[in-house]
Amino acid sequence: MITGCLRISKESIFTGLNNLKILSILSTDYGEYFGFVEEEIRNMLRFYGMEYKMDTMKEWYDGYCFGNVEVYNPWSAINYMDALLSNENVFPTASWSNTSSNSIVKDLMEHSSDDVREEVEELVNGMTIEKKVHEDITYEDIYRTEENLWNFLFFTGYLKQAGMRMEGVNRYVTLAIPNKELLYIYENTIETWFQEKVKEQNLDALYKGMLSGDDKIFEKELIKQLQTMISYMDNKEAFYHGFLLGLLANLKGYRKKSNRESGNGRYDICIYSLDVSNPPVILELKIAKHYKDLDAVCVEALNQIEEKNYGEELAEEGYEEVICYGIGFFKKQVRVHGKRRSLIS
């Protein structure tokens, strides 16, 4: 018996190691031996008196399908159980991310088309995609086509089977991200890819527009960046907050503060120079429920900056003026409203 993620390549039609019986994750034989089935997980938790952790175990480490059997990741489940024995309040972690480089997920984003990136986006937002499945894929085939790359992710466990259909002589599998452990890997890989991508770009136009108070240029440059980004949680302010902080990481000569108390509340982002003659910038973010609401949420954000007096701390530091931006997001659309405000009483 030889085990591995992908099948052994058959090098020749002549005699050699080419008469093998291959059991892939689509095979119905032995599926229950490739991981822990649910009853085994329940027995393990029951043995240690931690049955109440079953939901967490399922959310993070379940979801793999071998043939007709659903299994848990054995390595990650054991590591989480071990951690629970030391601290029953410990948070679950992505143990799998420590066993491989996850470079294949990064390669999927770096070397693929806009269509493929959009499909990654759908996956991390909880949706499914459909691909033709090839059981005979080998390591040397991975980068030959984008379809092979998807198959590799499937057969190595980065994606799970959520359904299958036959069309002619071809099988098509519906793919999804298995659990929170894998979602963590995808999201963190996307963030790292984005940070590296930002370092390679010239963002002078974006910085110049923002620091000069030109909200139209600022908006134009933000749209350009967001539309090349793989977004997830696009209905959550946290994603856009991280997106903006990532873009501002290379802004030289300015310091950045995030979610800091000032006045009667907490601003989202503040950028300031130690030279008080340069106006600092306050960014307040809002999510629009509909595209038509973008302007309204920008106005709401600007009003919030003023009503909660977010510039109070800056005035105490000696700054005389602040540039305020209300920024509205709806999926990959951005609207920016800017306003200069005097800090002199």
Side-chain angles (χ1 to χ4, degrees), residues 55-65 70-74 76-77 93-97 123-124 126 157-161 176-187:
D55 288 345
T56 302
M57 192 74 83
K58 189 173 186 66
E59 288 176 351
W60 274 80
Y61 309 121
D62 188 18
Y64 303 97
C65 186
E70 189 171 312
V71 299
Y72 288 68
N73 181 329
S76 298
T93 59
S95 299
W96 192 6
S97 66
L123 287 168
V124 295
Y158 285 92
L159 294 171
K160 72 172 182 178
Q161 174 189 337
I177 292 177
N179 48 45
K180 287 187 176 180
E181 179 178 35
L182 266 296
L183 181 61
Y184 170 87
I185 290 173
Y186 276 93
E187 289 186 0

mmCIF file of all heavy atoms in Angstrom, residues 55-65 70-74 76-77 93-97 123-124 126 157-161 176-187:
data_model
loop_
_atom_site.group_PDB
_atom_site.id
_atom_site.type_symbol
_atom_site.label_atom_id
_atom_site.label_comp_id
_atom_site.label_asym_id
_atom_site.label_seq_id
_atom_site.Cartn_x
_atom_site.Cartn_y
_atom_site.Cartn_z
ATOM 1 N N ASP A 55 -19.926 21.104 18.744
ATOM 2 C CA ASP A 55 -20.264 22.074 17.696
ATOM 3 C C ASP A 55 -19.022 22.762 17.156
ATOM 4 O O ASP A 55 -18.873 22.953 15.945
ATOM 5 C CB ASP A 55 -21.252 23.118 18.232
ATOM 6 C CG ASP A 55 -22.648 22.550 18.443
ATOM 7 O OD1 ASP A 55 -22.921 21.451 17.912
ATOM 8 O OD2 ASP A 55 -23.449 23.199 19.141
ATOM 9 N N THR A 56 -18.107 23.149 18.054
ATOM 10 C CA THR A 56 -16.860 23.796 17.629
ATOM 11 C C THR A 56 -16.013 22.837 16.809
ATOM 12 O O THR A 56 -15.454 23.211 15.769
ATOM 13 C CB THR A 56 -16.058 24.275 18.847
ATOM 14 O OG1 THR A 56 -16.858 25.172 19.615
ATOM 15 C CG2 THR A 56 -14.781 24.989 18.408
ATOM 16 N N MET A 57 -15.912 21.600 17.272
ATOM 17 C CA MET A 57 -15.142 20.587 16.545
ATOM 18 C C MET A 57 -15.697 20.414 15.130
ATOM 19 O O MET A 57 -14.941 20.300 14.159
ATOM 20 C CB MET A 57 -15.189 19.262 17.304
ATOM 21 C CG MET A 57 -14.219 18.216 16.821
ATOM 22 S SD MET A 57 -12.487 18.534 17.278
ATOM 23 C CE MET A 57 -12.423 17.869 18.947
ATOM 24 N N LYS A 58 -17.018 20.398 15.014
ATOM 25 C CA LYS A 58 -17.662 20.191 13.723
ATOM 26 C C LYS A 58 -17.435 21.389 12.796
ATOM 27 O O LYS A 58 -17.129 21.230 11.622
ATOM 28 C CB LYS A 58 -19.150 19.954 13.916
ATOM 29 C CG LYS A 58 -19.888 19.503 12.657
ATOM 30 C CD LYS A 58 -21.322 19.137 12.968
ATOM 31 C CE LYS A 58 -22.013 18.542 11.741
ATOM 32 N NZ LYS A 58 -21.431 17.258 11.339
ATOM 33 N N GLU A 59 -17.600 22.598 13.325
ATOM 34 C CA GLU A 59 -17.428 23.808 12.515
ATOM 35 C C GLU A 59 -16.014 23.942 11.967
ATOM 36 O O GLU A 59 -15.809 24.392 10.839
ATOM 37 C CB GLU A 59 -17.751 25.054 13.347
ATOM 38 C CG GLU A 59 -19.222 25.251 13.646
ATOM 39 C CD GLU A 59 -19.447 26.449 14.548
ATOM 40 O OE1 GLU A 59 -18.444 27.002 15.068
ATOM 41 O OE2 GLU A 59 -20.613 26.833 14.734
ATOM 42 N N TRP A 60 -15.026 23.521 12.762
ATOM 43 C CA TRP A 60 -13.626 23.755 12.394
ATOM 44 C C TRP A 60 -12.979 22.588 11.646
ATOM 45 O O TRP A 60 -12.127 22.818 10.784
ATOM 46 C CB TRP A 60 -12.815 24.076 13.649
ATOM 47 C CG TRP A 60 -12.884 25.533 13.990
ATOM 48 C CD1 TRP A 60 -13.903 26.177 14.634
ATOM 49 C CD2 TRP A 60 -11.918 26.533 13.671
ATOM 50 N NE1 TRP A 60 -13.632 27.518 14.730
ATOM 51 C CE2 TRP A 60 -12.412 27.765 14.155
ATOM 52 C CE3 TRP A 60 -10.675 26.522 13.043
ATOM 53 C CZ2 TRP A 60 -11.724 28.959 14.011
ATOM 54 C CZ3 TRP A 60 -9.973 27.707 12.904
ATOM 55 C CH2 TRP A 60 -10.502 28.910 13.386
ATOM 56 N N TYR A 61 -13.358 21.355 11.955
ATOM 57 C CA TYR A 61 -12.565 20.231 11.445
ATOM 58 C C TYR A 61 -13.356 19.173 10.683
ATOM 59 O O TYR A 61 -12.784 18.200 10.203
ATOM 60 C CB TYR A 61 -11.808 19.580 12.615
ATOM 61 C CG TYR A 61 -11.036 20.589 13.431
ATOM 62 C CD1 TYR A 61 -11.284 20.756 14.793
ATOM 63 C CD2 TYR A 61 -10.081 21.400 12.824
ATOM 64 C CE1 TYR A 61 -10.585 21.703 15.540
ATOM 65 C CE2 TYR A 61 -9.386 22.356 13.561
ATOM 66 C CZ TYR A 61 -9.635 22.507 14.918
ATOM 67 O OH TYR A 61 -8.961 23.451 15.638
ATOM 68 N N ASP A 62 -14.660 19.350 10.538
ATOM 69 C CA ASP A 62 -15.497 18.412 9.790
ATOM 70 C C ASP A 62 -15.585 18.860 8.324
ATOM 71 O O ASP A 62 -14.977 19.843 7.919
ATOM 72 C CB ASP A 62 -16.897 18.372 10.424
ATOM 73 C CG ASP A 62 -17.767 17.269 9.827
ATOM 74 O OD1 ASP A 62 -17.215 16.351 9.201
ATOM 75 O OD2 ASP A 62 -18.995 17.358 9.988
ATOM 76 N N GLY A 63 -16.338 18.111 7.523
ATOM 77 C CA GLY A 63 -16.658 18.572 6.180
ATOM 78 C C GLY A 63 -15.971 17.840 5.047
ATOM 79 O O GLY A 63 -16.282 18.071 3.883
ATOM 80 N N TYR A 64 -15.029 16.961 5.353
ATOM 81 C CA TYR A 64 -14.352 16.223 4.288
ATOM 82 C C TYR A 64 -15.192 15.015 3.889
ATOM 83 O O TYR A 64 -15.802 14.370 4.732
ATOM 84 C CB TYR A 64 -12.961 15.784 4.737
ATOM 85 C CG TYR A 64 -12.102 16.940 5.169
ATOM 86 C CD1 TYR A 64 -11.992 17.275 6.514
ATOM 87 C CD2 TYR A 64 -11.448 17.724 4.236
ATOM 88 C CE1 TYR A 64 -11.225 18.360 6.922
ATOM 89 C CE2 TYR A 64 -10.679 18.816 4.624
ATOM 90 C CZ TYR A 64 -10.583 19.124 5.975
ATOM 91 O OH TYR A 64 -9.846 20.210 6.366
ATOM 92 N N CYS A 65 -15.215 14.720 2.610
ATOM 93 C CA CYS A 65 -16.031 13.619 2.120
ATOM 94 C C CYS A 65 -15.155 12.645 1.336
ATOM 95 O O CYS A 65 -14.570 13.007 0.315
ATOM 96 C CB CYS A 65 -17.151 14.154 1.228
ATOM 97 S SG CYS A 65 -18.322 12.901 0.699
ATOM 98 N N GLU A 70 -18.497 11.086 5.466
ATOM 99 C CA GLU A 70 -18.019 12.393 5.918
ATOM 100 C C GLU A 70 -17.066 12.186 7.077
ATOM 101 O O GLU A 70 -17.375 11.473 8.035
ATOM 102 C CB GLU A 70 -19.211 13.251 6.360
ATOM 103 C CG GLU A 70 -18.832 14.694 6.641
ATOM 104 C CD GLU A 70 -20.050 15.572 6.865
ATOM 105 O OE1 GLU A 70 -20.990 15.497 6.041
ATOM 106 O OE2 GLU A 70 -20.060 16.320 7.854
ATOM 107 N N VAL A 71 -15.898 12.813 7.000
ATOM 108 C CA VAL A 71 -14.875 12.610 8.031
ATOM 109 C C VAL A 71 -14.325 13.943 8.529
ATOM 110 O O VAL A 71 -14.452 14.971 7.875
ATOM 111 C CB VAL A 71 -13.711 11.738 7.508
ATOM 112 C CG1 VAL A 71 -14.191 10.371 7.090
ATOM 113 C CG2 VAL A 71 -12.984 12.436 6.357
ATOM 114 N N TYR A 72 -13.700 13.866 9.698
ATOM 115 C CA TYR A 72 -13.019 15.005 10.313
ATOM 116 C C TYR A 72 -11.525 14.906 10.035
ATOM 117 O O TYR A 72 -10.981 13.811 9.894
ATOM 118 C CB TYR A 72 -13.232 14.999 11.823
ATOM 119 C CG TYR A 72 -14.625 15.365 12.278
ATOM 120 C CD1 TYR A 72 -15.715 14.530 12.017
ATOM 121 C CD2 TYR A 72 -14.853 16.536 12.997
ATOM 122 C CE1 TYR A 72 -16.985 14.861 12.448
ATOM 123 C CE2 TYR A 72 -16.133 16.874 13.431
ATOM 124 C CZ TYR A 72 -17.191 16.038 13.157
ATOM 125 O OH TYR A 72 -18.448 16.367 13.590
ATOM 126 N N ASN A 73 -10.859 16.051 10.039
ATOM 127 C CA ASN A 73 -9.402 16.069 9.919
ATOM 128 C C ASN A 73 -8.817 15.487 11.206
ATOM 129 O O ASN A 73 -8.941 16.093 12.274
ATOM 130 C CB ASN A 73 -8.938 17.528 9.729
ATOM 131 C CG ASN A 73 -7.434 17.646 9.572
ATOM 132 O OD1 ASN A 73 -6.673 16.855 10.111
ATOM 133 N ND2 ASN A 73 -7.008 18.653 8.852
ATOM 134 N N PRO A 74 -8.179 14.319 11.153
ATOM 135 C CA PRO A 74 -7.719 13.663 12.387
ATOM 136 C C PRO A 74 -6.619 14.436 13.107
ATOM 137 O O PRO A 74 -6.622 14.544 14.330
ATOM 138 C CB PRO A 74 -7.229 12.299 11.899
ATOM 139 C CG PRO A 74 -6.909 12.494 10.453
ATOM 140 C CD PRO A 74 -7.870 13.520 9.948
ATOM 141 N N SER A 76 -5.902 17.709 13.079
ATOM 142 C CA SER A 76 -6.393 18.930 13.701
ATOM 143 C C SER A 76 -7.303 18.627 14.887
ATOM 144 O O SER A 76 -7.251 19.308 15.911
ATOM 145 C CB SER A 76 -7.143 19.776 12.671
ATOM 146 O OG SER A 76 -6.271 20.163 11.625
ATOM 147 N N ALA A 77 -8.153 17.604 14.752
ATOM 148 C CA ALA A 77 -9.051 17.243 15.844
ATOM 149 C C ALA A 77 -8.267 16.799 17.080
ATOM 150 O O ALA A 77 -8.592 17.188 18.209
ATOM 151 C CB ALA A 77 -9.993 16.131 15.391
ATOM 152 N N THR A 93 -7.697 26.341 16.504
ATOM 153 C CA THR A 93 -6.682 26.885 15.604
ATOM 154 C C THR A 93 -6.595 26.035 14.347
ATOM 155 O O THR A 93 -7.097 24.917 14.300
ATOM 156 C CB THR A 93 -5.296 26.914 16.283
ATOM 157 O OG1 THR A 93 -4.941 25.580 16.668
ATOM 158 C CG2 THR A 93 -5.295 27.819 17.500
ATOM 159 N N ALA A 94 -5.928 26.598 13.339
ATOM 160 C CA ALA A 94 -5.747 25.888 12.074
ATOM 161 C C ALA A 94 -4.458 25.084 12.132
ATOM 162 O O ALA A 94 -3.411 25.527 11.665
ATOM 163 C CB ALA A 94 -5.728 26.877 10.915
ATOM 164 N N SER A 95 -4.518 23.901 12.737
ATOM 165 C CA SER A 95 -3.313 23.065 12.879
ATOM 166 C C SER A 95 -2.751 22.666 11.532
ATOM 167 O O SER A 95 -1.542 22.499 11.366
ATOM 168 C CB SER A 95 -3.644 21.806 13.687
ATOM 169 O OG SER A 95 -4.084 22.140 14.979
ATOM 170 N N TRP A 96 -3.624 22.508 10.530
ATOM 171 C CA TRP A 96 -3.176 22.089 9.207
ATOM 172 C C TRP A 96 -2.234 23.117 8.585
ATOM 173 O O TRP A 96 -1.321 22.771 7.843
ATOM 174 C CB TRP A 96 -4.392 21.869 8.305
ATOM 175 C CG TRP A 96 -4.080 21.175 7.012
ATOM 176 C CD1 TRP A 96 -2.884 20.632 6.630
ATOM 177 C CD2 TRP A 96 -4.977 20.946 5.925
ATOM 178 N NE1 TRP A 96 -2.984 20.067 5.386
ATOM 179 C CE2 TRP A 96 -4.261 20.253 4.929
ATOM 180 C CE3 TRP A 96 -6.307 21.244 5.711
ATOM 181 C CZ2 TRP A 96 -4.840 19.882 3.727
ATOM 182 C CZ3 TRP A 96 -6.876 20.867 4.505
ATOM 183 C CH2 TRP A 96 -6.148 20.195 3.531
ATOM 184 N N SER A 97 -2.436 24.390 8.910
ATOM 185 C CA SER A 97 -1.610 25.438 8.299
ATOM 186 C C SER A 97 -0.155 25.306 8.722
ATOM 187 O O SER A 97 0.740 25.854 8.073
ATOM 188 C CB SER A 97 -2.140 26.828 8.671
ATOM 189 O OG SER A 97 -1.998 27.055 10.057
ATOM 190 N N LEU A 123 -16.084 31.311 -3.100
ATOM 191 C CA LEU A 123 -15.832 30.242 -2.134
ATOM 192 C C LEU A 123 -15.658 30.785 -0.717
ATOM 193 O O LEU A 123 -16.253 30.253 0.229
ATOM 194 C CB LEU A 123 -14.592 29.442 -2.543
ATOM 195 C CG LEU A 123 -14.749 28.522 -3.752
ATOM 196 C CD1 LEU A 123 -13.386 28.033 -4.225
ATOM 197 C CD2 LEU A 123 -15.656 27.338 -3.430
ATOM 198 N N VAL A 124 -14.848 31.833 -0.564
ATOM 199 C CA VAL A 124 -14.603 32.345 0.789
ATOM 200 C C VAL A 124 -15.825 33.053 1.352
ATOM 201 O O VAL A 124 -15.907 33.298 2.558
ATOM 202 C CB VAL A 124 -13.363 33.275 0.838
ATOM 203 C CG1 VAL A 124 -12.102 32.518 0.509
ATOM 204 C CG2 VAL A 124 -13.532 34.477 -0.071
ATOM 205 N N GLY A 126 -18.723 31.657 1.178
ATOM 206 C CA GLY A 126 -19.653 30.603 1.540
ATOM 207 C C GLY A 126 -20.434 30.002 0.398
ATOM 208 O O GLY A 126 -21.347 29.191 0.626
ATOM 209 N N GLY A 157 -7.626 18.228 -0.332
ATOM 210 C CA GLY A 157 -8.418 18.571 0.841
ATOM 211 C C GLY A 157 -8.675 20.045 1.073
ATOM 212 O O GLY A 157 -9.297 20.417 2.066
ATOM 213 N N TYR A 158 -8.198 20.908 0.182
ATOM 214 C CA TYR A 158 -8.461 22.341 0.342
ATOM 215 C C TYR A 158 -9.891 22.698 -0.062
ATOM 216 O O TYR A 158 -10.373 23.780 0.254
ATOM 217 C CB TYR A 158 -7.474 23.159 -0.495
ATOM 218 C CG TYR A 158 -6.088 23.221 0.100
ATOM 219 C CD1 TYR A 158 -5.109 22.297 -0.261
ATOM 220 C CD2 TYR A 158 -5.752 24.203 1.022
ATOM 221 C CE1 TYR A 158 -3.835 22.345 0.280
ATOM 222 C CE2 TYR A 158 -4.483 24.258 1.571
ATOM 223 C CZ TYR A 158 -3.530 23.325 1.188
ATOM 224 O OH TYR A 158 -2.277 23.381 1.739
ATOM 225 N N LEU A 159 -10.546 21.815 -0.768
ATOM 226 C CA LEU A 159 -11.948 21.970 -1.131
ATOM 227 C C LEU A 159 -12.654 20.644 -0.900
ATOM 228 O O LEU A 159 -12.020 19.581 -0.933
ATOM 229 C CB LEU A 159 -12.088 22.392 -2.597
ATOM 230 C CG LEU A 159 -11.542 23.770 -2.974
ATOM 231 C CD1 LEU A 159 -11.548 23.946 -4.484
ATOM 232 C CD2 LEU A 159 -12.328 24.887 -2.306
ATOM 233 N N LYS A 160 -13.964 20.701 -0.685
ATOM 234 C CA LYS A 160 -14.717 19.470 -0.467
ATOM 235 C C LYS A 160 -15.786 19.297 -1.538
ATOM 236 O O LYS A 160 -16.183 20.247 -2.209
ATOM 237 C CB LYS A 160 -15.388 19.492 0.901
ATOM 238 C CG LYS A 160 -16.561 20.459 0.996
ATOM 239 C CD LYS A 160 -17.309 20.298 2.307
ATOM 240 C CE LYS A 160 -18.514 21.232 2.378
ATOM 241 N NZ LYS A 160 -19.288 21.065 3.619
ATOM 242 N N GLN A 161 -16.238 18.086 -1.667
ATOM 243 C CA GLN A 161 -17.318 17.771 -2.597
ATOM 244 C C GLN A 161 -18.660 18.084 -1.945
ATOM 245 O O GLN A 161 -18.996 17.569 -0.889
ATOM 246 C CB GLN A 161 -17.256 16.291 -2.969
ATOM 247 C CG GLN A 161 -18.417 15.817 -3.808
ATOM 248 C CD GLN A 161 -18.431 14.303 -3.959
ATOM 249 O OE1 GLN A 161 -17.406 13.645 -3.823
ATOM 250 N NE2 GLN A 161 -19.592 13.750 -4.226
ATOM 251 N N ALA A 176 -16.740 23.314 -2.407
ATOM 252 C CA ALA A 176 -16.926 24.308 -1.348
ATOM 253 C C ALA A 176 -15.748 24.219 -0.390
ATOM 254 O O ALA A 176 -15.005 23.232 -0.387
ATOM 255 C CB ALA A 176 -18.236 24.066 -0.600
ATOM 256 N N ILE A 177 -15.558 25.252 0.419
ATOM 257 C CA ILE A 177 -14.535 25.205 1.466
ATOM 258 C C ILE A 177 -15.084 24.356 2.618
ATOM 259 O O ILE A 177 -16.200 24.582 3.080
ATOM 260 C CB ILE A 177 -14.175 26.620 1.938
ATOM 261 C CG1 ILE A 177 -13.456 27.367 0.800
ATOM 262 C CG2 ILE A 177 -13.285 26.578 3.173
ATOM 263 C CD1 ILE A 177 -13.111 28.804 1.103
ATOM 264 N N PRO A 178 -14.327 23.359 3.092
ATOM 265 C CA PRO A 178 -14.863 22.372 4.033
ATOM 266 C C PRO A 178 -15.294 22.922 5.391
ATOM 267 O O PRO A 178 -16.322 22.516 5.919
ATOM 268 C CB PRO A 178 -13.702 21.378 4.200
ATOM 269 C CG PRO A 178 -12.833 21.582 3.015
ATOM 270 C CD PRO A 178 -12.963 23.032 2.660
ATOM 271 N N ASN A 179 -14.496 23.823 5.978
ATOM 272 C CA ASN A 179 -14.742 24.202 7.365
ATOM 273 C C ASN A 179 -14.007 25.491 7.709
ATOM 274 O O ASN A 179 -13.352 26.095 6.845
ATOM 275 C CB ASN A 179 -14.289 23.061 8.300
ATOM 276 C CG ASN A 179 -12.888 22.577 7.939
ATOM 277 O OD1 ASN A 179 -11.981 23.371 7.712
ATOM 278 N ND2 ASN A 179 -12.710 21.255 7.875
ATOM 279 N N LYS A 180 -14.087 25.907 8.956
ATOM 280 C CA LYS A 180 -13.464 27.164 9.374
ATOM 281 C C LYS A 180 -11.937 27.089 9.356
ATOM 282 O O LYS A 180 -11.264 28.103 9.171
ATOM 283 C CB LYS A 180 -13.962 27.556 10.768
ATOM 284 C CG LYS A 180 -15.399 28.059 10.780
ATOM 285 C CD LYS A 180 -15.779 28.600 12.149
ATOM 286 C CE LYS A 180 -17.191 29.195 12.108
ATOM 287 N NZ LYS A 180 -17.585 29.728 13.442
ATOM 288 N N GLU A 181 -11.390 25.913 9.579
ATOM 289 C CA GLU A 181 -9.933 25.765 9.533
ATOM 290 C C GLU A 181 -9.414 26.136 8.143
ATOM 291 O O GLU A 181 -8.453 26.898 8.006
ATOM 292 C CB GLU A 181 -9.516 24.336 9.875
ATOM 293 C CG GLU A 181 -8.007 24.125 9.811
ATOM 294 C CD GLU A 181 -7.589 22.724 10.185
ATOM 295 O OE1 GLU A 181 -8.334 21.776 9.875
ATOM 296 O OE2 GLU A 181 -6.518 22.575 10.787
ATOM 297 N N LEU A 182 -10.066 25.627 7.108
ATOM 298 C CA LEU A 182 -9.645 25.928 5.737
ATOM 299 C C LEU A 182 -10.000 27.359 5.364
ATOM 300 O O LEU A 182 -9.255 28.026 4.629
ATOM 301 C CB LEU A 182 -10.276 24.951 4.765
ATOM 302 C CG LEU A 182 -9.439 23.718 4.400
ATOM 303 C CD1 LEU A 182 -8.171 24.125 3.669
ATOM 304 C CD2 LEU A 182 -9.068 22.891 5.625
ATOM 305 N N LEU A 183 -11.134 27.863 5.867
ATOM 306 C CA LEU A 183 -11.498 29.256 5.606
ATOM 307 C C LEU A 183 -10.432 30.185 6.164
ATOM 308 O O LEU A 183 -10.060 31.173 5.525
ATOM 309 C CB LEU A 183 -12.855 29.574 6.236
ATOM 310 C CG LEU A 183 -13.380 30.993 6.030
ATOM 311 C CD1 LEU A 183 -13.567 31.311 4.548
ATOM 312 C CD2 LEU A 183 -14.693 31.196 6.782
ATOM 313 N N TYR A 184 -9.923 29.866 7.336
ATOM 314 C CA TYR A 184 -8.832 30.637 7.945
ATOM 315 C C TYR A 184 -7.610 30.658 7.030
ATOM 316 O O TYR A 184 -6.983 31.703 6.824
ATOM 317 C CB TYR A 184 -8.472 30.032 9.305
ATOM 318 C CG TYR A 184 -7.206 30.583 9.922
ATOM 319 C CD1 TYR A 184 -7.232 31.723 10.717
ATOM 320 C CD2 TYR A 184 -5.976 29.955 9.700
ATOM 321 C CE1 TYR A 184 -6.064 32.227 11.279
ATOM 322 C CE2 TYR A 184 -4.811 30.445 10.259
ATOM 323 C CZ TYR A 184 -4.852 31.587 11.045
ATOM 324 O OH TYR A 184 -3.694 32.088 11.583
ATOM 325 N N ILE A 185 -7.275 29.495 6.472
ATOM 326 C CA ILE A 185 -6.114 29.405 5.584
ATOM 327 C C ILE A 185 -6.317 30.262 4.347
ATOM 328 O O ILE A 185 -5.434 31.014 3.927
ATOM 329 C CB ILE A 185 -5.835 27.934 5.203
ATOM 330 C CG1 ILE A 185 -5.322 27.168 6.427
ATOM 331 C CG2 ILE A 185 -4.836 27.841 4.049
ATOM 332 C CD1 ILE A 185 -5.169 25.679 6.207
ATOM 333 N N TYR A 186 -7.500 30.190 3.734
ATOM 334 C CA TYR A 186 -7.783 30.992 2.536
ATOM 335 C C TYR A 186 -7.713 32.490 2.858
ATOM 336 O O TYR A 186 -7.075 33.255 2.131
ATOM 337 C CB TYR A 186 -9.170 30.646 1.980
ATOM 338 C CG TYR A 186 -9.194 29.439 1.085
ATOM 339 C CD1 TYR A 186 -9.475 28.177 1.587
ATOM 340 C CD2 TYR A 186 -8.935 29.550 -0.277
ATOM 341 C CE1 TYR A 186 -9.506 27.056 0.767
ATOM 342 C CE2 TYR A 186 -8.965 28.428 -1.113
ATOM 343 C CZ TYR A 186 -9.252 27.190 -0.576
ATOM 344 O OH TYR A 186 -9.272 26.085 -1.404
ATOM 345 N N GLU A 187 -8.381 32.903 3.925
ATOM 346 C CA GLU A 187 -8.424 34.328 4.242
ATOM 347 C C GLU A 187 -7.040 34.874 4.550
ATOM 348 O O GLU A 187 -6.678 35.968 4.108
ATOM 349 C CB GLU A 187 -9.378 34.576 5.411
ATOM 350 C CG GLU A 187 -10.841 34.399 5.043
ATOM 351 C CD GLU A 187 -11.785 34.790 6.172
ATOM 352 O OE1 GLU A 187 -11.288 35.198 7.254
ATOM 353 O OE2 GLU A 187 -13.012 34.688 5.984
#
